[in-house]
Amino acid sequence: MLHFAKSITVLQININAPNAFLDNFGLEYALIHRIETPKIIANCIQKYDVQAVSDDIYIFKNSTVAVECVKDMQTVLDKWNRQCKDERNVRQITAFGIDTSTCIHVPNSDIYWGKAFDVANAICTVNRKGGILISANAYSDLVDSGMFKSLRAIPTQINILPDTSASLYSIYFVNVEDEGRGKMNLTNRKKTVRFDMGNHINEQME
């Protein structure tokens, strides 16, 4: 099976309904939320050369394509939600996690193994506010490709542990209105996030 090992980018999303949605509308509508959300973003997945491991785990050739796809997902969901007259029909992805590393994946199957899958999963476990978090490996790919500027994306470094160099980066996509308010010129702030065996401990803005 070793010949299946190669560098890939893994995107994992959290399509479970937010806790507030579950509290307000109940388990039945939360289940509909989980089933329907992947259908809404299906065209985004089909647009790119993506291998779908499941309805919430996707494999890309590189980080640049993964982030482009995430931006499209957000655009499609925003358009969907603006047309919703009933809050029960609002759909959200509550977490995006992206990492790049050498992994094993058997094509056209759900057989996979590697650090990128673990990192992307851990990000989705601790991040339920709809943010896009990418690993340092994915960040390097985006810097090298110059895609931050072309995607109108602002990266913000997040330190996993104060005594290590390991980092995550959050990404914010700037729209035309934000540019008018000068948000593209914001200086990136660092946020310290302690990360212990996949459990979110605390956050502190520097």
Side-chain angles (χ1 to χ4, degrees):
M1 190 181 293
L2 290 178
H3 64 283
F4 291 114
K6 61 182 180 180
S7 179
I8 61 175
T9 296
V10 176
L11 164 65
Q12 181 161 339
I13 59 178
N14 193 325
I15 53 178
N16 292 323
N19 291 334
F21 185 99
L22 177 61
D23 293 340
N24 290 335
F25 306 120
L27 186 59
E28 180 179 355
Y29 280 100
L31 179 60
I32 294 173
H33 180 286
R34 178 175 176 83
I35 294 172
E36 194 169 54
T37 301
K39 296 179 181 179
I40 297 172
I41 62 173
N43 287 339
C44 301
I45 301 301
Q46 295 170 5
K47 178 180 176 181
Y48 300 92
D49 184 12
V50 182
Q51 298 181 58
V53 178
S54 64
D55 60 4
D56 58 356
I57 302 175
Y58 304 97
I59 296 175
F60 295 80
K61 290 183 177 180
N62 56 61
S63 303
T64 299
V65 179
V67 172
E68 286 183 289
C69 186
V70 166
K71 185 175 183 180
D72 285 351
M73 289 180 182
Q74 290 189 324
T75 300
V76 168
L77 284 173
D78 286 344
K79 182 178 179 180
W80 170 278
N81 291 333
R82 285 196 301 268
Q83 296 173 348
C84 289
K85 297 181 179 179
D86 188 333
E87 291 185 3
R88 292 173 294 186
N89 295 325
V90 170
R91 303 291 175 249
Q92 300 179 49
I93 296 177
T94 57
F96 299 86
I98 299 174
D99 185 34
T100 297
S101 70
T102 300
C103 298
I104 292 174
H105 175 245
V106 179
N108 303 316
S109 78
D110 60 355
I111 300 173
Y112 59 87
W113 178 88
K115 182 181 178 182
F117 292 98
D118 296 334
V119 172
N121 177 262
I123 290 173
C124 286
T125 300
V126 302
N127 171 37
R128 287 296 305 276
K129 298 180 180 180
I132 305 165
L133 295 183
I134 65 174
S135 68
N137 289 338
Y139 174 82
S140 296
D141 289 346
L142 288 163
V143 170
D144 292 342
S145 67
M147 289 302 294
F148 281 122
K149 183 176 182 180
S150 62
L151 290 174
R152 287 179 154 86
I154 297 178
T156 301
Q157 185 179 4
I158 300 176
N159 295 322
I160 299 176
L161 289 171
D163 56 346
T164 71
S165 60
S167 295
L168 296 177
Y169 294 81
S170 65
I171 297 178
Y172 172 77
F173 293 117
V174 178
N175 56 36
V176 175
E177 292 179 358
D178 290 333
E179 285 185 299
R181 292 193 293 266
K183 284 192 175 182
M184 283 296 283
N185 295 321
L186 284 177
T187 300
N188 294 341
R189 295 175 296 173
K190 290 186 178 180
K191 181 190 297 182
T192 300
V193 178
R194 292 187 56 201
F195 208 69
D196 182 16
M197 298 300 290
N199 296 317
H200 185 209
I201 307 300
N202 63 15
E203 297 184 3
Q204 179 181 348
M205 297 301 296
E206 292 183 353

